Amino acid sequence: MFPIYELFNYLNRHPSDKTYSKIIVYLFTHQKEIQHLTISQIAKRCFVSPATMTRFCQAFGFSSFSHLREALTINERIKSYNALRMRASDFQQLQEQPEIFLTNYAAEITSALKDILEKIDYLEIDQLLEKIQQAEKIILIGYTTTLELARNMQIAFSASNKLIHVPENEELQKKAIQQANEQTVILVLSSYGTILTSHVDLINQISHRPAHSVLITQHTQNLMTNLFDQVLNLTSTNYVQIGNYPLEFFCDYFVRRYASLNEKRK
């Protein structure tokens, strides 16, 4: 999988005059051209050495420059509406009838939120929040879009004097999980459960720790969910086009409910 988020994360957190930042900018602004260039040619255009380009590839998980070029080629050929979780017919409707598209889009969000209200087990949620309150350490794991959601939850929990750890890359996540014990709760956020197949080693590591593990996800039927102690399937079906709306809605309730319960304890 093309680690586009890792590249953008680096770009967003480092000055634009950093060597790797310059390379990332060049790669994304010359995706078609790169398909026909060698590593030496790209290095020359980025004013770096081929050895620096090789180190850049390895730093972002590419085994070689050829691997990077192949990933960029695939990324460039993906239709824009595919990246936005849209069908071609929906994209055409958006182009020609934006008011109808937006009405349908809003209706799907509404359906998803109603679905959550019908599925939610308030007692189960409160019991989980009690575990979180009593736990010595909470590890919250998110990827790509859910990582930002995890950061927001971290800040929200801090307002209730509860520290949440959000390791931001797989190396830090594995290290945090290795240190987890019986007094730890591990929460994993996943929109559609793809983490279960894209990070199998991490999920297996979680399953072998004595911590209480919880997967919070929108609808998924992946059999690997049995590796968690608890699974919160927020919806009864997939709402692919609206992305993280259901998960964000639930997590907002989750942290607010924790705050309300925490105030009662005082």
Side-chain angles (χ1 to χ4, degrees):
M1 184 177 180
F2 183 35
I4 188 170
Y5 287 96
E6 283 78 3
L7 293 173
F8 280 133
N9 279 340
Y10 183 94
L11 189 63
N12 293 339
R13 296 174 183 175
H14 295 82
S16 58
D17 59 353
K18 282 280 189 179
T19 297
Y20 281 7
S21 294
K22 291 179 179 179
I23 294 174
I24 292 169
V25 169
Y26 182 85
L27 293 177
F28 279 107
T29 53
H30 297 81
Q31 290 189 68
K32 287 187 177 180
E33 181 182 348
I34 286 168
Q35 299 173 25
H36 311 289
L37 298 177
T38 65
I39 186 172
S40 297
Q41 290 172 321
I42 292 179
K44 184 176 181 180
R45 286 162 171 75
C46 293
F47 303 100
V48 299
S49 68
T52 298
M53 282 300 305
T54 298
R55 288 193 293 272
F56 171 86
C57 294
Q58 294 171 347
F60 290 97
F62 297 102
S63 58
S64 65
F65 171 72
S66 296
H67 183 200
L68 169 62
R69 183 169 55 193
E70 179 184 356
L72 285 168
T73 300
I74 294 172
N75 186 69
E76 194 276 329
R77 291 175 179 172
I78 293 176
K79 297 289 186 182
S80 59
Y81 56 79
N82 291 143
L84 297 170
R85 304 175 306 277
M86 298 176 68
R87 298 182 294 267
S89 58
D90 295 322
F91 196 65
Q92 184 177 358
Q93 184 184 68
L94 178 57
Q95 290 175 320
E96 299 172 358
Q97 299 172 302
E99 68 284 357
I100 295 178
F101 170 83
L102 190 57
T103 299
N104 293 339
Y105 187 73
E108 186 170 342
I109 293 174
T110 302
S111 296
L113 300 187
K114 288 181 178 179
D115 195 356
I116 292 176
L117 296 179
E118 292 172 0
K119 278 187 63 68
I120 193 168
D121 184 331
Y122 292 97
L123 178 59
E124 180 183 22
I125 300 306
D126 283 357
Q127 289 173 342
L128 174 57
L129 291 172
E130 182 66 23
K131 281 183 179 291
I132 289 174
Q133 195 276 330
Q134 294 178 1
E136 293 180 0
K137 186 173 184 178
I138 310 297
I139 301 170
L140 183 54
I141 293 177
Y143 283 95
T144 59
T145 57
T146 60
L147 179 57
E148 187 61 34
L149 178 56
R151 295 190 191 107
N152 292 337
M153 292 176 68
Q154 180 184 46
I155 294 171
F157 271 109
S158 70
S160 298
N161 298 315
K162 189 64 181 181
L163 177 62
I164 304 291
H165 298 266
V166 183
E168 294 199 0
N169 58 53
E170 191 163 351
E171 179 182 354
L172 293 175
Q173 289 164 354
K174 288 182 176 179
K175 184 173 293 186
I177 292 167
Q178 287 172 357
Q179 298 170 350
N181 57 31
E182 294 86 350
Q183 300 303 315
T184 304
V185 172
I186 302 174
L187 303 172
V188 178
L189 302 179
S190 179
S191 299
Y192 305 109
T194 52
I195 182 178
L196 303 179
T197 52
S198 61
H199 294 81
V200 176
D201 290 344
L202 187 72
I203 301 305
N204 282 329
Q205 184 179 342
I206 291 174
S207 70
H208 286 93
R209 300 305 301 164
H212 182 73
S213 60
V214 185
L215 173 66
I216 304 176
T217 183
Q218 294 166 191
H219 175 71
T220 178
Q221 295 178 324
N222 194 304
L223 295 178
M224 289 183 68
T225 56
N226 61 9
L227 295 178
F228 290 85
D229 297 313
Q230 188 174 0
V231 178
L232 300 182
N233 257 326
L234 305 182
T235 58
S236 59
T237 188
N238 281 329
Y239 299 90
V240 177
Q241 186 166 244
I242 63 173
N244 286 343
Y245 268 102
L247 188 60
E248 291 177 9
F249 174 75
F250 172 80
C251 289
D252 193 29
Y253 166 77
F254 194 67
V255 296
R256 292 183 184 206
R257 180 59 176 165
Y258 182 87
S260 72
L261 294 174
N262 190 56
E263 285 297 322
K264 281 186 175 182
R265 300 186 189 100
K266 293 182 179 179

